[in-house]
Amino acid sequence: MDPLQIGQSRPRGDAAAKVAGREPYAADAYPDNRLWARAVRPGVPSGRIVGLACDAALAVPGVVKVLRAGDVPGSNRQGIVHKDMPVLADDRVRCCADAVALVLAESPAAAAAGAAAVAVEIEPLPGVYDLDAALAEAAHLVHADRPGNLLARATIRKGDGADPLARCDVVVEGTFTTPVQAHAFLETESGVARLQPDGTLWMQVSTQSPFRDRFEIGHALSIPYDRIHIEAPCLGGGFGGKDGATVQCLLGLAALHADGRPVKMVWDREESFVAGYKRHACRLHYRLGARRDGTLQALHARIWYDTGAYAHLGAEVMELGMEHAAGPYRIPHALIEGWCVHTHNPTAGAMRAFGVCQVSFAFESMMDLLAQRLGMDPLALRTANALVRGDTNCAGIHLETSTGIKACLAQVARHPLWREREIWRRQAPPFKRRGVGLAAVFNAAGYGGGVRDAAIAKIEMDPTGHFIVHNAVSDMGQGNSSAFMQMAGHLLGQTADRLRIRQPDTRTAYPSGSSSAGRTTYTFGRALTFACETLKSRLLNRAGLMLFLQDDDDLVLEPDRVRHIPTDRSVTLAQLGAMMSAEERVCLGQFVAPTCKPVPDTATGFFIGFPHVIFSYSAHLARVEIDTLSGVVQVTNYLAVTDGGHVINPAMFHQQIQGGVAQGIGYALYEDFITHHGRVRTEDFTTYIIPGALDLPEIVSVACVEETEATGPFGMKGIGEVAMNGPLPAIANGVADAGMGRICRAPLTPERVLDNGVRAPATAQLQK
Amino acid sequence: MRPVLFPTTLAALFDIVEHQPDARLMAGGTDLLVRLRQGPADRRPLICLERMARLNGITTENNTVIIGAATPLSAIIADPLVQRHCPLLARAAATVGGPAIRNMATLGGNICTASPAGDTLPPLYLLDARLDLAAAHATRQVPIAAFITGPGRTDLRSGELLTAIRIPMAERFGLQHFEKVGRRNALAIAVASLAALIRLTPGGRVAEARLAWGSVGPCVVRCSEAEARLTGRRLTSETLRAAGAAARAAVTPIDDIRATTAYRRDLVANLPLRLGAAT
Ligand SMILES: Cc1cc2nc3c(=O)[nH]c(=O)nc-3n(C[C@H](O)[C@H](O)[C@H](O)COP(=O)(O)OP(=O)(O)OC[C@H]3O[C@@H](n4cnc5c(N)ncnc54)[C@H](O)[C@@H]3O)c2cc1C
């Protein structure tokens, strides 16, 4: 076995355990003597609670307690930035997910029966269920203290804003809408909690943000954060849906009332669909102006995000979307306006490509409209306007970090899937039309301005000379812990079997932020490199001591030993482990991600998270075949060329890209989380359609490594999100290229494709 | 916990039915268990059909293919007799769910569920399938079209069991076509489907056409007017369009979360066009 090395495709560290079903997830925890907690969610999207009777529920055999708002000791409000979401609603209900009571019972069946027996009386109130209703004059307010139903209203203005549009040779215009998307992870929201004898609230939970959860739980339940102990085992998927409290506050509340017994909560799929956070539905109106030669001149984008009933990260999602609203292009003048709008729909929050995949649909559709209007090749138009290092992006940020979109586009241009597209198109079988669509996309990494984006990594050598990486950023399946093992193995010269990973534990690891924002491997990984280097030099030093050498020269760290090259004498790691004290065997490393200074004055109305300085870039190509009898779209081939800096593990890199593209194809063609008057209509996977194996093409992923990212560990940057942004616009552009018209409303269902291609005129028109 | 019983003979089964008249029959359970998950937490027993040898397997007799009601779809799809004499049924059965579902789901279950979107139903209508029904002291035979009386409704009487499906080996139809349009390529409920059996004269004209649409009405829609538009003609796009237009007028699709009425009607009219490319 060779030592682990950066740049090699090594099997994931968790592969064997996961394939064998041994990896413990939070949903798998069944502590002895447990109680089960179940929320009572009346399902009324807007109303006032006028009665809540629990007697019948308490009479159900097996029901132990029924808790209500009055039983919540703290503020009873959760939320990451804005604390506005009740743990248990006390007076008003604002969406169908609102819980009014929490049943503790001896079994899941008793908990369910108890929940059904709680008698809730709710006086319905008026509600707003779409953007127009919420923004109408004198609209009913979701929150009395948020006038106009606006959670946030922000603007980015660069150059002369939208004014230069009047002087452009050509202007194209379009209005786009995007659906709500569900994370649809395998493991639903779940966890166990217990109040320990010493008063600590212990919790093992499926979470992307173990350290921050302490503050959210602590605020809601009035517990000092240092009395909250969170463990975050591997997640069965997160995609942003477990960033922030899901079961945490309910579980904490249950544990406070469980007389020291452990409490378990697992949402079933239906509850997850109702109560889990979702991707924001958006409406986008774009006007893009250019010179006759295709040089982009000005953009006016107006973007509305339906953020649902509570804030969660709604404003931050919108802000990130706005920061990306003009695409990876050089545009001298831009006015980008955003409205983050409350409705009584289920709460929208974080999801992979956080606000960006919505704008990607708009700007990449606009680029094709412009190319068509100018009679230009869509790839040439993109290449001519692509950002390069040293440019200023649409948010006014001077790009000083790696900027690889041009190189990605060049790789697409050379690829047979692009070069041989005309022949392929002409070979369409009867009743099929073929088209090829492109998308150039980007995605910021990190939290952005105003938020500390930092990590503290810990590596330990145990007394037997084996290494433990104390991961502090959850692994939701993306493979960051495997990347950390690979980094540690590389730096310490160790083989995979000498390394173990411990998943986040707030008692033994150190605050390192959430697993999100393309920052997980980047930020913690960089901190880990420092920790590993410190440990390495310490091991050499102690070996030198044991070998009575005059200095540490010519010592090398090898698997299982430190060797002195000139004499070939060595000390085993087990000997070192036995000699060193516990505190000597542990090293920490810290890293703070780069920030933008000075912040340009382009943005107003932004709260936190602006601007970003590191972006990954990607150029995508989709070949689509449309059945003209049914409107069914099949993606037959897919190419994603991605600039993620240096690649740590090619296999895992490609898996991330392929997964992101698959999820993006779902967003483009299938996934549509439908509500009617605030009630969920797609209640489970019978009607919420995600793509299966037969719906996905072979997804060719190419890493474009013209530039490495100097600030990242080994030159890498995060690529977990960027792939999500390409499929919708690439497929929509492919459908238009096939002569089926331009579709501006996602997902591109067969019905919409057939209507659009055969009957209705395109919704986006050309001006001038 | 509900009792789960595994009779192996008809006599044993009817004995259970007599003593526990509220028991439910379960074949593959792929419909029933989904319903029970939502449904009442009652304790009505389940009578499983999977160990009833008589209900499982495929034979022929008197120019008839006989399929045991509890035969899983995957066995039907792979069966040489079915492939030879009723490939249309095999083709439709292959579109049900995914591999795991087809290993459990039975033909009898698909029929007794009587869903408008039941994928084996349009072929069974076109193939003139007849059903063997047995009760403790009586048996009867009914044509499939008479057995299915509405969405989720059948003529199954209490205490009765579907034992077999009989499919006459009809004259060979040179063109056998099944197409289902769903919201994805597998594990998809039909938005609309078309089954067609067409026999051509040596001169290329339609000697006999049988057409049935699924998922566009309370039951399978077999449209004689559409069939008449094809008979005696060649399968040109004009004649197929005319047949599609006749069918469009004959169907009564619903509007639901999967598709609108208008789209389903479009599919009904469009799908026959594919028959032109198949010849
Ligand atoms: C994920 C999934 C995907 C699916 N996809 C499709 C699809 O694409 N197309 C499709 O048509 N269906 C689909 N179905 C529905 C289902 O799989 C089929 O209808 C299947 O054929 C039912 O057969 P079964 O043996 O599982 O029936 P069961 O669930 O066992 O029974 C269904 C009903 O029929 C009764 N019954 C069964 N056998 C007999 C009998 N011999 N005599 C009397 N009554 C009987 C039962 O009492 C019950 O009421 C899907 C189901 C699932 C869960």
Side-chain angles (χ1 to χ4, degrees):
Chain A
M1 203 188 292
D2 295 329
L4 291 172
Q5 256 180 39
I6 294 300
Q8 286 183 347
S9 287
R10 302 296 289 244
R12 297 167 57 123
D14 53 1
K18 284 185 174 171
V19 169
R22 279 198 316 269
E23 184 71 49
Y25 295 88
D28 296 328
Y30 292 91
D32 289 342
N33 195 29
R34 65 193 168 270
L35 285 171
W36 293 78
R38 190 174 175 104
V40 178
R41 305 184 194 272
V44 177
S46 176
R48 184 176 307 287
I49 304 168
V50 290
L52 183 64
C54 305
D55 314 356
L58 285 165
V60 172
V63 169
V64 175
K65 270 185 190 156
V66 181
L67 306 174
R68 35 169 103 213
D71 298 311
V72 183
S75 70
N76 191 17
R77 290 294 180 276
Q78 62 186 66
I80 296 168
V81 183
H82 307 268
K83 314 276 183 202
D84 65 352
M85 183 176 178
V87 181
L88 292 178
D90 31 24
D91 165 31
R92 288 285 314 274
V93 286
R94 294 190 172 83
C95 72
C96 66
D98 275 334
V100 298
L102 185 67
V103 176
L104 304 193
E106 298 288 348
S107 70
V118 171
V120 193
E121 207 186 320
I122 292 177
E123 173 200 323
L125 290 175
V128 287
Y129 302 106
D130 59 51
L131 292 168
D132 292 322
L135 292 169
E137 217 162 302
H140 162 84
L141 291 184
V142 178
H143 297 273
D145 58 348
R146 296 199 185 134
N149 282 319
L150 289 176
L151 170 61
R153 162 82 176 94
T155 309
I156 294 176
R157 189 186 162 90
K158 181 190 176 193
D160 300 331
D163 303 344
L165 278 171
R167 300 189 299 275
C168 288
D169 296 340
V170 288
V171 175
V172 287
E173 180 168 355
T175 300
F176 304 86
T177 58
T178 62
V180 173
Q181 187 179 26
H183 304 80
F185 24 62
L186 266 181
E187 180 204 34
T188 54
E189 295 84 347
S190 52
V192 292
R194 185 173 48 226
L195 193 63
Q196 307 286 47
D198 69 357
T200 301
L201 175 64
W202 168 86
M203 200 175 288
Q204 198 176 60
V205 63
S206 191
T207 178
Q208 292 175 229
S209 42
F211 287 91
R212 195 185 58 216
D213 286 352
R214 297 173 305 164
F215 295 96
E216 212 176 333
I217 300 164
H219 183 271
L221 304 180
S222 191
I223 306 172
Y225 78 91
D226 56 357
R227 307 284 287 180
I228 302 174
H229 174 194
I230 308 245
E231 291 176 28
C234 278
L235 281 67
F239 309 114
K242 296 171 183 171
D243 190 359
T246 57
V247 295
Q248 287 88 325
C249 297
L250 291 167
L251 263 180
L253 173 65
L256 293 180
H257 291 88
D259 300 320
R261 291 177 68 180
V263 188
K264 181 173 173 82
M265 182 178 226
V266 181
W267 292 356
D268 58 24
R269 185 61 62 185
E270 290 85 346
E271 185 172 14
S272 172
F273 269 19
V274 166
Y277 308 110
K278 301 287 175 304
R279 186 187 300 290
H280 289 75
C282 274
R283 183 164 73 207
L284 311 98
H285 183 259
Y286 267 60
R287 292 177 72 221
L288 177 65
R291 282 212 295 260
R292 215 170 305 280
D293 68 359
T295 308
L296 298 180
Q297 291 293 291
L299 172 75
H300 186 190
R302 295 190 296 154
I303 312 169
W304 295 266
Y305 286 77
D306 179 346
T307 205
Y310 298 104
H312 194 256
L313 288 169
E316 293 69 30
V317 167
M318 174 186 83
E319 289 163 10
L320 197 72
M322 292 174 67
E323 199 179 332
H324 291 73
Y329 302 115
R330 196 168 39 246
I331 308 183
H333 310 286
L335 177 62
I336 298 159
E337 301 178 88
W339 293 262
C340 195
V341 183
H342 277 301
T343 60
H344 290 289
N345 290 329
T347 302
M351 186 169 180
R352 191 181 205 169
F354 207 85
V356 182
C357 57
Q358 294 94 329
V359 299
S360 303
F361 179 37
F363 69 71
E364 281 305 275
S365 296
M366 296 304 292
M367 287 303 276
D368 263 35
L369 280 169
L370 181 63
Q372 188 191 341
R373 174 82 170 84
L374 294 168
M376 268 184 84
D377 174 88
L379 183 51
L381 178 69
R382 286 177 170 82
T383 307
N385 290 288
L387 289 169
V388 294
R389 194 199 285 255
D391 278 341
T392 302
N393 75 9
C394 76
I397 314 307
H398 184 69
L399 296 172
E400 289 161 7
T401 59
S402 59
T403 306
I405 186 62
K406 225 173 178 149
C408 292
L409 287 164
Q411 292 233 29
V412 168
R414 287 197 296 274
H415 201 280
L417 286 172
W418 175 251
R419 291 214 330 262
E420 292 158 17
R421 66 192 182 285
E422 282 309 326
I423 310 163
W424 177 78
R425 228 187 348 208
R426 282 197 299 273
Q427 288 166 346
F431 304 113
K432 306 282 183 195
R433 284 199 208 150
R434 287 176 167 180
V436 180
L438 295 175
V441 292
F442 64 154
N443 212 103
Y447 292 144
V451 191
R452 183 178 180 83
D453 189 343
I456 303 165
K458 170 174 163 185
I459 182 141
E460 176 182 355
M461 189 176 78
D462 72 13
T464 70
H466 291 73
F467 297 88
I468 305 164
V469 176
H470 291 259
N471 180 19
V473 277
S474 306
D475 190 331
M476 43 182 164
Q478 76 270 49
N480 51 308
S481 43
S482 298
F484 300 151
M485 303 257 269
Q486 205 161 342
M487 291 177 182
H490 179 94
L491 291 171
L492 299 171
Q494 298 301 307
T495 52
D497 62 325
R498 303 200 64 81
L499 292 154
R500 273 188 298 132
I501 191 107
R502 259 197 79 173
Q503 296 301 349
D505 179 327
T506 57
R507 282 279 160 94
T508 52
Y510 293 87
S512 294
S514 55
S515 183
S516 64
R519 66 176 293 278
T520 311
T521 305
Y522 172 90
T523 311
F524 186 87
R526 189 71 198 275
L528 181 62
T529 60
F530 298 130
C532 290
E533 276 153 11
T534 312
L535 181 60
K536 179 180 173 178
S537 77
R538 194 175 291 174
L539 292 174
L540 298 183
N541 175 278
R542 302 303 187 272
L545 179 76
M546 288 179 83
L547 292 169
F548 298 104
L549 297 171
Q550 62 174 354
D551 57 29
D552 297 343
D553 290 353
D554 301 319
L555 283 167
V556 284
L557 184 52
E558 295 181 342
D560 197 21
R561 64 178 180 175
V562 176
R563 188 164 64 91
H564 186 236
I565 298 171
T567 60
D568 205 32
R569 289 194 302 143
S570 61
V571 180
T572 66
L573 295 184
Q575 287 170 316
L576 280 171
M579 188 267 287
M580 290 166 72
S581 70
E583 76 177 7
E584 272 182 297
R585 287 185 279 100
V586 172
C587 287
L588 304 184
Q590 65 205 32
F591 178 62
V592 182
T595 53
C596 178
K597 283 181 195 149
V599 174
D601 63 355
T602 47
T604 49
F606 281 59
F607 184 51
I608 50 167
F610 178 89
H612 292 75
V613 293
I614 292 163
F615 299 84
S616 50
Y617 295 87
S618 204
H620 288 200
L621 174 153
R623 280 187 172 182
V624 299
E625 189 169 274
I626 299 112
D627 182 57
T628 56
L629 300 183
S630 65
V632 169
V633 178
Q634 179 76 36
V635 182
T636 62
N637 303 85
Y638 203 96
L639 169 68
V641 183
T642 308
D643 160 33
H646 188 70
V647 178
I648 305 289
N649 180 325
M652 274 166 43
F653 177 97
H654 298 313
Q655 284 164 14
Q656 272 296 295
I657 297 301
Q658 288 162 343
V661 169
Q663 202 164 27
I665 290 176
Y667 188 54
L669 295 177
Y670 307 101
E671 300 186 38
D672 196 357
F673 188 85
I674 299 173
T675 53
H676 180 70
H677 284 280
R679 290 186 162 91
V680 176
R681 291 196 60 210
T682 43
E683 293 175 336
D684 57 30
F685 286 127
T686 313
T687 45
Y688 185 77
I689 305 296
I690 58 173
L694 295 184
D695 304 303
L696 298 173
E698 189 193 346
I699 299 163
V700 179
S701 164
V702 176
C704 178
V705 282
E706 220 138 278
E707 295 184 78
T708 60
E709 175 45 51
T711 63
F714 305 98
M716 66 78 69
K717 53 186 174 180
I719 47 103
E721 303 190 86
V722 68
M724 177 75 215
N725 296 325
L728 171 54
I731 290 168
N733 288 337
V735 168
D737 181 56
M740 297 299 285
R742 175 147 304 278
I743 299 178
C744 300
R745 183 168 173 211
L748 281 65
T749 60
E751 180 154 7
R752 287 177 189 152
V753 172
L754 199 65
D755 279 359
N756 199 62
V758 181
R759 289 203 292 254
T763 34
Q765 345 93 25
L766 308 178
Q767 279 197 344
K768 285 198 179 177
Chain B
M1 277 294 171
R2 58 175 95 237
V4 182
L5 306 159
F6 292 90
T8 56
T9 64
L10 278 182
L13 183 144
F14 288 124
D15 190 53
I16 299 171
V17 171
E18 196 188 338
H19 291 100
Q20 309 189 50
D22 67 340
R24 291 187 176 95
L25 295 175
M26 177 166 119
T30 61
D31 272 317
L32 186 66
L33 294 178
V34 176
R35 276 209 304 277
L36 290 183
R37 182 171 182 267
Q38 321 283 354
D42 60 37
R43 293 175 180 218
R44 290 168 57 182
L46 293 179
I47 306 177
C48 293
L49 304 182
E50 62 186 65
R51 296 190 196 160
M52 303 267 300
R54 254 204 65 184
L55 264 51
N56 206 315
I58 299 158
T59 55
T60 55
E61 180 189 299
N62 298 334
N63 272 333
T64 306
V65 178
I66 303 171
I67 303 175
T71 311
L73 296 179
S74 55
I76 295 173
I77 296 161
D79 187 81
L81 289 169
V82 174
Q83 286 175 357
R84 178 135 167 259
H85 299 293
C86 27
L88 184 66
L89 176 63
R91 218 167 293 167
T95 70
V96 173
I101 293 290
R102 292 192 290 273
N103 284 338
M104 295 305 293
T106 66
L107 187 57
N110 203 233
I111 295 168
C112 292
T113 294
S115 158
D119 287 318
T120 68
L121 303 182
L124 292 174
Y125 274 61
L126 296 189
L127 293 164
D128 288 331
R130 297 176 69 78
L131 309 180
D132 284 351
L133 300 163
H137 305 292
T139 60
R140 60 186 180 121
Q141 229 181 56
V142 215
I144 180 133
F147 180 72
I148 295 180
T149 55
R153 286 202 307 274
T154 66
D155 180 31
L156 191 75
R157 297 172 191 162
S158 100
E160 213 174 28
L161 171 77
L162 170 61
T163 54
I165 297 94
R166 294 174 174 267
I167 301 173
M169 298 179 190
E171 272 171 88
R172 282 192 66 86
F173 287 90
L175 181 55
Q176 308 217 354
H177 175 84
F178 181 82
E179 178 175 1
K180 159 168 139 181
V181 177
R183 286 290 285 108
R184 65 183 156 201
N185 289 327
L187 289 170
I189 296 177
V191 168
S193 66
L194 168 68
L197 288 177
I198 290 174
R199 198 151 40 78
L200 296 171
T201 64
R205 289 181 187 275
V206 173
E208 185 184 354
R210 299 183 186 178
L211 302 173
W213 282 262
S215 228
V216 287
C219 302
V220 168
V221 179
R222 182 153 174 198
C223 179
S224 50
E225 195 174 340
E227 293 171 355
R229 301 273 173 105
L230 299 184
T231 313
R233 300 198 169 84
R234 291 177 194 286
L235 290 179
T236 61
S237 41
E238 292 86 276
T239 52
L240 290 166
R241 231 182 277 281
R248 177 198 281 273
V251 297
T252 51
I254 55 162
D255 240 319
D256 69 4
I257 200 158
R258 290 185 186 89
T260 62
T261 301
Y263 176 66
R264 286 192 160 98
R265 281 190 196 280
D266 285 347
L267 286 179
V268 166
N270 286 352
L271 291 184
L273 286 166
R274 198 103 58 201
L275 295 168
T279 48

